[in-house]
Short mmCIF file of all heavy atoms in Angstrom, two decimals:
data_model
loop_
_atom_site.label_atom_id
_atom_site.label_comp_id
_atom_site.label_asym_id
_atom_site.label_seq_id
_atom_site.Cartn_x
_atom_site.Cartn_y
_atom_site.Cartn_z
N LEU A 34 169.12 91.71 -153.27
CA LEU A 34 167.77 91.17 -153.10
C LEU A 34 166.99 91.23 -154.40
O LEU A 34 166.21 90.35 -154.73
CB LEU A 34 167.04 91.95 -152.01
CG LEU A 34 167.58 91.80 -150.60
CD1 LEU A 34 166.95 92.84 -149.68
CD2 LEU A 34 167.33 90.40 -150.08
N ASP A 308 153.78 100.48 -149.61
CA ASP A 308 153.99 100.24 -148.19
C ASP A 308 153.44 101.39 -147.36
O ASP A 308 153.67 102.55 -147.65
CB ASP A 308 155.50 100.10 -147.95
CG ASP A 308 155.81 99.64 -146.55
OD1 ASP A 308 154.86 99.34 -145.81
OD2 ASP A 308 156.99 99.57 -146.22
N SER A 310 153.70 101.03 -143.86
CA SER A 310 154.20 100.83 -142.51
C SER A 310 155.09 101.99 -142.09
O SER A 310 155.77 102.59 -142.92
CB SER A 310 154.99 99.52 -142.45
OG SER A 310 156.16 99.63 -143.23
N ALA B 98 158.17 80.83 -156.41
CA ALA B 98 157.45 82.10 -156.36
C ALA B 98 157.56 82.73 -154.98
O ALA B 98 157.74 83.94 -154.85
CB ALA B 98 155.98 81.89 -156.73
N THR B 99 157.47 81.90 -153.93
CA THR B 99 157.56 82.43 -152.58
C THR B 99 158.96 82.99 -152.31
O THR B 99 159.11 84.09 -151.76
CB THR B 99 157.21 81.35 -151.55
OG1 THR B 99 155.91 80.84 -151.84
CG2 THR B 99 157.21 81.92 -150.14
N LEU B 100 159.99 82.25 -152.72
CA LEU B 100 161.36 82.73 -152.51
C LEU B 100 161.61 84.03 -153.28
O LEU B 100 162.12 85.01 -152.73
CB LEU B 100 162.36 81.67 -152.96
CG LEU B 100 162.55 80.48 -152.01
CD1 LEU B 100 163.51 79.46 -152.63
CD2 LEU B 100 163.08 80.95 -150.67
N MET B 101 161.24 84.02 -154.56
CA MET B 101 161.47 85.20 -155.38
C MET B 101 160.71 86.41 -154.83
O MET B 101 161.22 87.53 -154.78
CB MET B 101 161.03 84.94 -156.82
CG MET B 101 161.88 83.93 -157.56
SD MET B 101 163.50 84.63 -157.95
CE MET B 101 164.17 83.30 -158.94
N SER B 102 159.47 86.16 -154.42
CA SER B 102 158.64 87.26 -153.93
C SER B 102 159.15 87.78 -152.59
O SER B 102 159.06 88.97 -152.30
CB SER B 102 157.19 86.80 -153.79
OG SER B 102 156.71 86.37 -155.04
N LEU B 103 159.68 86.88 -151.77
CA LEU B 103 160.28 87.31 -150.51
C LEU B 103 161.45 88.25 -150.78
O LEU B 103 161.57 89.32 -150.18
CB LEU B 103 160.75 86.10 -149.70
CG LEU B 103 161.57 86.40 -148.43
CD1 LEU B 103 160.77 87.26 -147.47
CD2 LEU B 103 162.03 85.11 -147.77
N LEU B 104 162.31 87.85 -151.71
CA LEU B 104 163.44 88.71 -152.07
C LEU B 104 162.95 90.04 -152.62
O LEU B 104 163.48 91.11 -152.28
CB LEU B 104 164.33 88.00 -153.11
CG LEU B 104 165.06 86.75 -152.62
CD1 LEU B 104 165.81 86.09 -153.77
CD2 LEU B 104 166.02 87.10 -151.49
N ALA B 105 161.93 89.98 -153.47
CA ALA B 105 161.41 91.21 -154.07
C ALA B 105 160.81 92.12 -153.01
O ALA B 105 160.99 93.35 -153.05
CB ALA B 105 160.36 90.86 -155.13
N ALA B 106 160.10 91.53 -152.04
CA ALA B 106 159.49 92.33 -150.98
C ALA B 106 160.56 92.92 -150.06
O ALA B 106 160.45 94.07 -149.62
CB ALA B 106 158.51 91.47 -150.18
N LEU B 107 161.61 92.13 -149.77
CA LEU B 107 162.71 92.65 -148.95
C LEU B 107 163.40 93.80 -149.66
O LEU B 107 163.76 94.81 -149.04
CB LEU B 107 163.71 91.53 -148.65
CG LEU B 107 163.30 90.51 -147.60
CD1 LEU B 107 164.25 89.32 -147.62
CD2 LEU B 107 163.26 91.15 -146.22
N ALA B 108 163.60 93.63 -150.97
CA ALA B 108 164.24 94.70 -151.75
C ALA B 108 163.38 95.96 -151.69
O ALA B 108 163.89 97.07 -151.52
CB ALA B 108 164.44 94.24 -153.20
N TYR B 109 162.06 95.77 -151.84
CA TYR B 109 161.15 96.91 -151.77
C TYR B 109 161.27 97.59 -150.41
O TYR B 109 161.29 98.82 -150.31
CB TYR B 109 159.72 96.43 -152.00
CG TYR B 109 158.69 97.53 -151.95
CD1 TYR B 109 158.36 98.25 -153.09
CD2 TYR B 109 158.06 97.86 -150.76
CE1 TYR B 109 157.43 99.26 -153.04
CE2 TYR B 109 157.13 98.87 -150.71
CZ TYR B 109 156.81 99.57 -151.84
OH TYR B 109 155.89 100.57 -151.79
N PHE B 110 161.36 96.78 -149.37
CA PHE B 110 161.45 97.31 -148.00
C PHE B 110 162.73 98.11 -147.81
O PHE B 110 162.76 99.13 -147.13
CB PHE B 110 161.38 96.14 -147.02
CG PHE B 110 161.17 96.54 -145.60
CD1 PHE B 110 159.94 96.97 -145.16
CD2 PHE B 110 162.22 96.49 -144.68
CE1 PHE B 110 159.74 97.35 -143.84
CE2 PHE B 110 162.03 96.87 -143.36
CZ PHE B 110 160.78 97.29 -142.94
N GLU B 111 163.83 97.62 -148.44
CA GLU B 111 165.13 98.27 -148.27
C GLU B 111 165.28 99.52 -149.14
O GLU B 111 166.05 100.41 -148.82
CB GLU B 111 166.25 97.29 -148.62
CG GLU B 111 166.39 96.12 -147.67
CD GLU B 111 166.90 96.53 -146.30
OE1 GLU B 111 167.53 97.60 -146.21
OE2 GLU B 111 166.65 95.80 -145.32
N ALA B 166 151.99 86.51 -155.03
CA ALA B 166 152.76 86.19 -153.83
C ALA B 166 153.44 87.45 -153.29
O ALA B 166 153.49 87.67 -152.07
CB ALA B 166 153.79 85.11 -154.15
N PHE B 167 153.95 88.27 -154.20
CA PHE B 167 154.62 89.51 -153.81
C PHE B 167 153.67 90.42 -153.04
O PHE B 167 154.02 90.98 -151.99
CB PHE B 167 155.16 90.19 -155.07
CG PHE B 167 155.75 91.55 -154.85
CD1 PHE B 167 156.94 91.70 -154.17
CD2 PHE B 167 155.12 92.68 -155.33
CE1 PHE B 167 157.50 92.95 -153.98
CE2 PHE B 167 155.66 93.93 -155.15
CZ PHE B 167 156.86 94.07 -154.47
N ILE B 168 152.46 90.58 -153.56
CA ILE B 168 151.48 91.46 -152.91
C ILE B 168 151.12 90.94 -151.52
O ILE B 168 151.02 91.69 -150.55
CB ILE B 168 150.23 91.62 -153.79
CG1 ILE B 168 150.56 92.43 -155.04
CG2 ILE B 168 149.10 92.27 -153.02
CD1 ILE B 168 149.46 92.45 -156.07
N VAL B 169 150.96 89.61 -151.43
CA VAL B 169 150.61 89.01 -150.13
C VAL B 169 151.73 89.24 -149.11
O VAL B 169 151.49 89.63 -147.97
CB VAL B 169 150.32 87.51 -150.30
CG1 VAL B 169 150.21 86.83 -148.95
CG2 VAL B 169 149.04 87.31 -151.10
N ILE B 170 152.97 88.98 -149.53
CA ILE B 170 154.10 89.15 -148.61
C ILE B 170 154.28 90.62 -148.25
O ILE B 170 154.54 90.97 -147.09
CB ILE B 170 155.39 88.57 -149.22
CG1 ILE B 170 155.25 87.06 -149.42
CG2 ILE B 170 156.59 88.88 -148.35
CD1 ILE B 170 156.42 86.42 -150.12
N LEU B 171 154.12 91.48 -149.24
CA LEU B 171 154.26 92.91 -148.98
C LEU B 171 153.24 93.38 -147.96
O LEU B 171 153.54 94.21 -147.09
CB LEU B 171 154.10 93.68 -150.29
CG LEU B 171 154.81 95.03 -150.40
CD1 LEU B 171 156.30 94.85 -150.25
CD2 LEU B 171 154.48 95.69 -151.72
N THR B 172 152.02 92.84 -148.06
CA THR B 172 150.99 93.20 -147.10
C THR B 172 151.39 92.79 -145.69
O THR B 172 151.16 93.52 -144.73
CB THR B 172 149.66 92.53 -147.48
OG1 THR B 172 149.30 92.93 -148.81
CG2 THR B 172 148.55 92.94 -146.53
N SER B 173 152.02 91.62 -145.57
CA SER B 173 152.40 91.15 -144.24
C SER B 173 153.56 91.96 -143.67
O SER B 173 153.80 91.92 -142.46
CB SER B 173 152.77 89.66 -144.30
OG SER B 173 153.98 89.48 -145.02
N PHE B 174 154.26 92.71 -144.50
CA PHE B 174 155.33 93.58 -144.01
C PHE B 174 154.79 94.73 -143.16
O PHE B 174 155.55 95.42 -142.49
CB PHE B 174 156.15 94.15 -145.18
CG PHE B 174 157.44 93.43 -145.41
CD1 PHE B 174 157.48 92.30 -146.21
CD2 PHE B 174 158.61 93.86 -144.83
CE1 PHE B 174 158.66 91.62 -146.42
CE2 PHE B 174 159.80 93.19 -145.03
CZ PHE B 174 159.82 92.06 -145.83
N ALA B 175 153.47 94.91 -143.19
CA ALA B 175 152.90 95.95 -142.34
C ALA B 175 153.19 95.67 -140.87
O ALA B 175 153.20 96.58 -140.04
CB ALA B 175 151.39 96.03 -142.57
N ALA B 176 153.45 94.40 -140.54
CA ALA B 176 153.74 94.03 -139.16
C ALA B 176 155.16 94.37 -138.75
O ALA B 176 155.50 94.37 -137.57
CB ALA B 176 153.50 92.52 -138.96
N VAL B 177 156.02 94.66 -139.75
CA VAL B 177 157.43 94.96 -139.44
C VAL B 177 157.58 96.46 -139.24
O VAL B 177 157.42 97.23 -140.17
CB VAL B 177 158.34 94.50 -140.60
CG1 VAL B 177 159.79 94.78 -140.26
CG2 VAL B 177 158.14 93.03 -140.89
N ARG B 178 157.88 96.86 -138.01
CA ARG B 178 158.07 98.28 -137.74
C ARG B 178 159.55 98.61 -137.81
O ARG B 178 160.38 97.89 -137.26
CB ARG B 178 157.52 98.64 -136.36
CG ARG B 178 156.02 98.40 -136.28
CD ARG B 178 155.44 98.89 -134.98
NE ARG B 178 153.99 98.73 -134.98
CZ ARG B 178 153.16 99.62 -135.48
NH1 ARG B 178 153.64 100.73 -135.99
NH2 ARG B 178 151.87 99.41 -135.46
N ARG B 179 159.85 99.70 -138.48
CA ARG B 179 161.25 100.05 -138.64
C ARG B 179 161.93 100.32 -137.30
O ARG B 179 163.14 100.15 -137.16
CB ARG B 179 161.39 101.26 -139.56
CG ARG B 179 160.95 100.94 -140.98
CD ARG B 179 161.24 102.07 -141.94
NE ARG B 179 160.72 101.79 -143.26
CZ ARG B 179 161.35 101.06 -144.17
NH1 ARG B 179 162.54 100.55 -143.89
NH2 ARG B 179 160.79 100.84 -145.34
N TYR B 181 161.68 98.58 -134.67
CA TYR B 181 162.26 97.31 -134.20
C TYR B 181 163.66 97.14 -134.78
O TYR B 181 164.60 96.77 -134.08
CB TYR B 181 161.43 96.11 -134.65
CG TYR B 181 160.00 96.08 -134.18
CD1 TYR B 181 159.07 95.29 -134.86
CD2 TYR B 181 159.56 96.80 -133.09
CE1 TYR B 181 157.75 95.22 -134.47
CE2 TYR B 181 158.24 96.74 -132.68
CZ TYR B 181 157.34 95.96 -133.38
OH TYR B 181 156.03 95.90 -133.00
N LEU B 182 163.76 97.38 -136.09
CA LEU B 182 165.02 97.12 -136.80
C LEU B 182 166.08 98.12 -136.38
O LEU B 182 167.26 97.77 -136.24
CB LEU B 182 164.78 97.17 -138.31
CG LEU B 182 163.76 96.16 -138.82
CD1 LEU B 182 163.51 96.37 -140.30
CD2 LEU B 182 164.24 94.74 -138.56
N TRP B 192 172.55 92.72 -140.65
CA TRP B 192 171.35 92.56 -141.47
C TRP B 192 170.77 91.16 -141.35
O TRP B 192 169.56 90.98 -141.27
CB TRP B 192 171.69 92.88 -142.94
CG TRP B 192 170.47 92.98 -143.79
CD1 TRP B 192 169.74 94.09 -144.01
CD2 TRP B 192 169.83 91.93 -144.51
NE1 TRP B 192 168.68 93.81 -144.83
CE2 TRP B 192 168.70 92.49 -145.15
CE3 TRP B 192 170.08 90.57 -144.67
CZ2 TRP B 192 167.84 91.73 -145.95
CZ3 TRP B 192 169.22 89.83 -145.46
CH2 TRP B 192 168.13 90.40 -146.09
N ARG B 195 168.91 90.64 -138.12
CA ARG B 195 167.64 91.37 -138.14
C ARG B 195 166.62 90.64 -139.01
O ARG B 195 165.44 90.58 -138.68
CB ARG B 195 167.85 92.80 -138.67
CG ARG B 195 168.76 93.64 -137.80
CD ARG B 195 168.55 95.13 -138.05
NE ARG B 195 168.84 95.54 -139.42
CZ ARG B 195 170.05 95.87 -139.86
NH1 ARG B 195 171.08 95.83 -139.04
NH2 ARG B 195 170.22 96.24 -141.11
N PHE B 196 167.11 90.05 -140.11
CA PHE B 196 166.19 89.33 -141.00
C PHE B 196 165.64 88.08 -140.31
O PHE B 196 164.43 87.88 -140.22
CB PHE B 196 166.89 88.95 -142.30
CG PHE B 196 166.08 88.03 -143.16
CD1 PHE B 196 164.93 88.48 -143.79
CD2 PHE B 196 166.45 86.71 -143.33
CE1 PHE B 196 164.16 87.63 -144.57
CE2 PHE B 196 165.69 85.86 -144.11
CZ PHE B 196 164.55 86.32 -144.73
N PHE B 197 166.55 87.24 -139.78
CA PHE B 197 166.10 85.96 -139.24
C PHE B 197 165.36 86.10 -137.92
O PHE B 197 164.43 85.34 -137.63
CB PHE B 197 167.29 85.01 -139.06
CG PHE B 197 167.73 84.36 -140.33
CD1 PHE B 197 168.91 84.73 -140.94
CD2 PHE B 197 166.94 83.39 -140.94
CE1 PHE B 197 169.31 84.14 -142.12
CE2 PHE B 197 167.33 82.80 -142.12
CZ PHE B 197 168.52 83.17 -142.72
N ASP B 198 165.76 87.08 -137.09
CA ASP B 198 165.19 87.16 -135.75
C ASP B 198 163.97 88.06 -135.68
O ASP B 198 163.13 87.91 -134.79
CB ASP B 198 166.24 87.67 -134.76
CG ASP B 198 167.34 86.64 -134.54
OD1 ASP B 198 167.09 85.45 -134.82
OD2 ASP B 198 168.44 87.03 -134.10
N ILE B 199 163.86 89.02 -136.61
CA ILE B 199 162.75 89.98 -136.51
C ILE B 199 161.82 89.89 -137.71
O ILE B 199 160.63 89.66 -137.57
CB ILE B 199 163.30 91.42 -136.37
CG1 ILE B 199 164.14 91.53 -135.09
CG2 ILE B 199 162.15 92.41 -136.34
CD1 ILE B 199 164.79 92.87 -134.91
N ILE B 200 162.39 90.07 -138.90
CA ILE B 200 161.52 90.15 -140.08
C ILE B 200 160.84 88.82 -140.36
O ILE B 200 159.62 88.75 -140.54
CB ILE B 200 162.33 90.62 -141.31
CG1 ILE B 200 162.85 92.04 -141.10
CG2 ILE B 200 161.47 90.56 -142.56
CD1 ILE B 200 163.66 92.58 -142.26
N LEU B 201 161.61 87.76 -140.40
CA LEU B 201 161.08 86.45 -140.78
C LEU B 201 159.92 86.00 -139.89
O LEU B 201 158.87 85.60 -140.41
CB LEU B 201 162.20 85.41 -140.79
CG LEU B 201 161.97 84.16 -141.65
CD1 LEU B 201 161.61 84.54 -143.07
CD2 LEU B 201 163.21 83.28 -141.64
N PRO B 202 160.06 86.04 -138.56
CA PRO B 202 158.91 85.64 -137.73
C PRO B 202 157.67 86.49 -137.97
O PRO B 202 156.55 85.98 -137.98
CB PRO B 202 159.43 85.81 -136.30
CG PRO B 202 160.90 85.72 -136.41
CD PRO B 202 161.24 86.33 -137.74
N LEU B 203 157.88 87.79 -138.20
CA LEU B 203 156.73 88.67 -138.35
C LEU B 203 155.98 88.45 -139.66
O LEU B 203 154.77 88.64 -139.73
CB LEU B 203 157.17 90.13 -138.23
CG LEU B 203 157.54 90.59 -136.83
CD1 LEU B 203 158.16 91.99 -136.86
CD2 LEU B 203 156.31 90.59 -135.93
N ILE B 204 156.71 88.08 -140.71
CA ILE B 204 156.04 87.93 -142.00
C ILE B 204 155.72 86.47 -142.32
O ILE B 204 155.25 86.17 -143.42
CB ILE B 204 156.88 88.51 -143.16
CG1 ILE B 204 158.18 87.74 -143.34
CG2 ILE B 204 157.16 89.98 -142.91
CD1 ILE B 204 158.97 88.17 -144.56
N ARG B 205 155.96 85.58 -141.37
CA ARG B 205 155.73 84.15 -141.65
C ARG B 205 154.30 83.87 -142.14
O ARG B 205 154.12 83.08 -143.07
CB ARG B 205 156.05 83.31 -140.41
CG ARG B 205 156.06 81.81 -140.71
CD ARG B 205 156.57 81.02 -139.55
NE ARG B 205 155.72 81.24 -138.37
CZ ARG B 205 156.14 81.03 -137.13
NH1 ARG B 205 157.39 80.66 -136.91
NH2 ARG B 205 155.33 81.22 -136.11
N PRO B 206 153.27 84.47 -141.54
CA PRO B 206 151.91 84.22 -142.08
C PRO B 206 151.81 84.60 -143.55
O PRO B 206 151.16 83.90 -144.34
CB PRO B 206 151.01 85.09 -141.21
CG PRO B 206 151.78 85.30 -139.95
CD PRO B 206 153.22 85.33 -140.35
N GLY B 207 152.45 85.69 -143.93
CA GLY B 207 152.43 86.10 -145.33
C GLY B 207 153.13 85.09 -146.22
O GLY B 207 152.69 84.81 -147.34
N LEU B 208 154.24 84.52 -145.73
CA LEU B 208 154.96 83.53 -146.53
C LEU B 208 154.12 82.28 -146.74
O LEU B 208 154.07 81.72 -147.83
CB LEU B 208 156.28 83.16 -145.83
CG LEU B 208 157.36 84.24 -145.80
CD1 LEU B 208 158.60 83.70 -145.09
CD2 LEU B 208 157.72 84.67 -147.21
N ILE B 209 153.45 81.84 -145.66
CA ILE B 209 152.61 80.65 -145.77
C ILE B 209 151.47 80.90 -146.76
O ILE B 209 151.19 80.07 -147.63
CB ILE B 209 152.06 80.25 -144.39
CG1 ILE B 209 153.21 79.82 -143.47
CG2 ILE B 209 151.03 79.15 -144.51
CD1 ILE B 209 152.80 79.57 -142.05
N SER B 210 150.84 82.06 -146.63
CA SER B 210 149.76 82.39 -147.56
C SER B 210 150.28 82.46 -148.99
O SER B 210 149.65 81.96 -149.92
CB SER B 210 149.13 83.74 -147.17
OG SER B 210 148.62 83.68 -145.86
N ALA B 211 151.44 83.10 -149.17
CA ALA B 211 152.00 83.24 -150.52
C ALA B 211 152.26 81.87 -151.13
O ALA B 211 152.01 81.64 -152.31
CB ALA B 211 153.28 84.07 -150.47
N PHE B 212 152.78 80.95 -150.31
CA PHE B 212 153.07 79.61 -150.81
C PHE B 212 151.79 78.92 -151.26
O PHE B 212 151.71 78.37 -152.36
CB PHE B 212 153.76 78.78 -149.71
CG PHE B 212 154.19 77.42 -150.18
CD1 PHE B 212 155.45 77.21 -150.68
CD2 PHE B 212 153.32 76.34 -150.13
CE1 PHE B 212 155.85 75.95 -151.13
CE2 PHE B 212 153.69 75.09 -150.56
CZ PHE B 212 154.97 74.89 -151.06
N ILE B 213 150.78 78.94 -150.40
CA ILE B 213 149.52 78.24 -150.72
C ILE B 213 148.85 78.88 -151.94
O ILE B 213 148.35 78.18 -152.82
CB ILE B 213 148.59 78.24 -149.50
CG1 ILE B 213 149.22 77.40 -148.38
CG2 ILE B 213 147.21 77.71 -149.86
CD1 ILE B 213 148.41 77.39 -147.10
N ILE B 270 143.43 79.47 -144.28
CA ILE B 270 144.18 80.71 -144.10
C ILE B 270 143.31 81.77 -143.45
O ILE B 270 143.74 82.49 -142.55
CB ILE B 270 144.72 81.21 -145.46
CG1 ILE B 270 145.78 80.24 -145.99
CG2 ILE B 270 145.27 82.61 -145.36
CD1 ILE B 270 146.27 80.58 -147.36
N ARG B 273 142.89 81.01 -139.80
CA ARG B 273 144.10 81.36 -139.08
C ARG B 273 144.16 82.87 -138.85
O ARG B 273 144.57 83.33 -137.78
CB ARG B 273 145.32 80.90 -139.87
CG ARG B 273 146.60 80.93 -139.07
CD ARG B 273 147.79 80.56 -139.93
NE ARG B 273 148.99 80.38 -139.14
CZ ARG B 273 149.69 81.37 -138.59
NH1 ARG B 273 149.29 82.61 -138.75
NH2 ARG B 273 150.77 81.13 -137.89
N PHE B 274 143.72 83.62 -139.85
CA PHE B 274 143.71 85.07 -139.73
C PHE B 274 142.75 85.50 -138.63
O PHE B 274 143.04 86.38 -137.82
CB PHE B 274 143.30 85.68 -141.07
CG PHE B 274 143.32 87.18 -141.08
CD1 PHE B 274 144.51 87.87 -141.16
CD2 PHE B 274 142.14 87.90 -141.00
CE1 PHE B 274 144.54 89.25 -141.16
CE2 PHE B 274 142.16 89.28 -141.00
CZ PHE B 274 143.36 89.96 -141.08
N GLN B 277 144.31 84.58 -135.31
CA GLN B 277 145.44 85.46 -135.03
C GLN B 277 144.93 86.83 -134.59
O GLN B 277 145.46 87.46 -133.69
CB GLN B 277 146.30 85.59 -136.28
CG GLN B 277 147.59 86.35 -136.08
CD GLN B 277 148.37 86.46 -137.38
OE1 GLN B 277 147.92 85.99 -138.42
NE2 GLN B 277 149.52 87.08 -137.32
#
Side-chain angles (χ1 to χ4, degrees):
Chain A
L34 293 168
D308 189 5
S310 67
Chain B
T99 304
L100 284 177
M101 292 288 186
S102 301
L103 172 60
L104 294 175
L107 285 168
Y109 180 88
F110 192 75
E111 293 291 338
F167 174 70
I168 291 171
V169 170
I170 296 175
L171 207 60
T172 302
S173 69
F174 260 86
V177 181
R178 297 186 176 274
R179 294 187 185 277
Y181 300 160
L182 300 175
W192 191 89
R195 297 201 299 274
F196 171 70
F197 281 108
D198 291 340
I199 299 176
I200 296 180
L201 202 53
L203 287 171
I204 65 173
R205 190 172 60 202
L208 290 180
I209 294 173
S210 301
F212 184 92
I213 294 177
I270 292 175
R273 193 184 189 285
F274 183 77
Q277 187 181 2

